[in-house]
Amino acid sequence: MTETYKRLVFPTLALLLWAIADFLGGSGFIAAFVGGLVTARVFGKIEEDFTTFIESEGQLIILAVFFIFGAVIVSKASDITAATVAYAILSLTIIRMIPVAGALAGKHLHYQSIAFMGWFGPRGLASIVLGLTLLDTTTDLKGIDQIVIIIMATVLISVFAHGISSNPLIKNYHKRMGRLGETAAEKEIVSEMPKRKAA
């Protein structure tokens, strides 16, 4: 199989599993995830050619999703209220950062590392995908329109807040981490994560 077609194997398989699960009334997310687990087991060692789609064409798809989102949100901008903006800001800060801090408890990381990961944790794309999944599942949920507006406001603020703050905060974090001692948890040498567990 040529490199070009190898790059299409995994995304095609994921879409196929999603379509089959959706046809049967199941969850496309779970089907794609379980499909990945089974594929890793069947394939054994996964060649680099099979994963390059994620690093190249995958980025193009992400940009396309944000482009479509930008085109859609213009028509909904008038529905965004001050209360919606306030809740969106809470979602991007306290509501998200506290669980991240809890997940990192006991890792002996510097508080700035925890804050950094909390701020730059899962962002807009996950919210868009989960929002679309909710709409695909139900449209008669009470308050669904308000939920969609909150998701849109959160993603919109995230695009600008994370985009503007990324370079200065990364530079500042790098500088501060350089001042930590060699025994700091952040400087612990870790091995590269394998593409799958060894059999």
Side-chain angles (χ1 to χ4, degrees):
M1 187 183 291
T2 64
E3 182 182 341
T4 301
Y5 286 99
K6 284 182 179 180
R7 294 166 71 160
L8 298 175
V9 169
F10 283 174
T12 303
L13 182 58
L15 289 172
L16 179 63
L17 291 170
W18 182 295
I20 292 171
D22 188 62
F23 177 76
L24 296 174
S27 169
F29 275 118
I30 295 174
F33 179 75
V34 172
L37 294 176
V38 174
T39 301
R41 185 70 180 170
V42 172
F43 269 62
K45 183 169 173 30
I46 299 173
E47 296 178 32
E48 194 69 28
D49 291 345
F50 286 101
T51 60
T52 52
F53 182 93
I54 300 167
E55 299 163 4
S56 51
E57 287 89 344
Q59 291 300 315
L60 182 61
I61 293 174
I62 291 171
L63 292 175
V65 169
F66 277 108
F67 181 85
I68 295 168
F69 170 80
V72 170
I73 198 173
V74 171
S75 63
K76 300 286 185 180
S78 60
D79 296 330
I80 298 176
T81 64
T84 304
V85 171
Y87 184 81
I89 292 171
L90 284 174
S91 293
L92 291 171
T93 53
I94 295 171
I95 295 173
R96 182 175 65 180
M97 295 174 84
I98 288 177
V100 170
L104 295 172
K107 300 295 183 184
H108 309 294
L109 295 171
H110 195 271
Y111 76 92
Q112 288 178 329
S113 296
I114 296 173
F116 186 87
M117 284 187 264
W119 176 244
F120 288 112
R123 296 192 300 277
L125 186 63
S127 298
I128 293 172
V129 172
L130 293 174
L132 289 173
T133 302
L134 175 65
L135 288 174
D136 184 56
T137 304
T138 179
T139 53
D140 57 357
L141 180 67
K142 187 176 180 180
I144 187 71
D145 292 336
Q146 185 62 32
I147 293 171
V148 170
I149 295 299
I150 289 171
I151 291 172
M152 286 185 165
T154 304
V155 173
L156 180 63
I157 294 170
S158 171
V159 167
F160 287 99
H162 291 113
I164 292 169
S165 66
S166 60
N167 279 344
L169 288 182
I170 288 170
K171 288 177 182 176
N172 182 61
Y173 179 74
H174 183 265
K175 187 186 298 181
R176 290 182 178 274
M177 289 304 103
R179 296 175 189 158
L180 295 179
E182 292 302 318
T183 58
E186 287 83 353
K187 295 195 176 181
E188 182 180 341
I189 298 174
V190 294
S191 58
E192 185 178 347
M193 184 178 288
K195 289 186 174 55
R196 66 176 295 272
K197 282 189 174 181

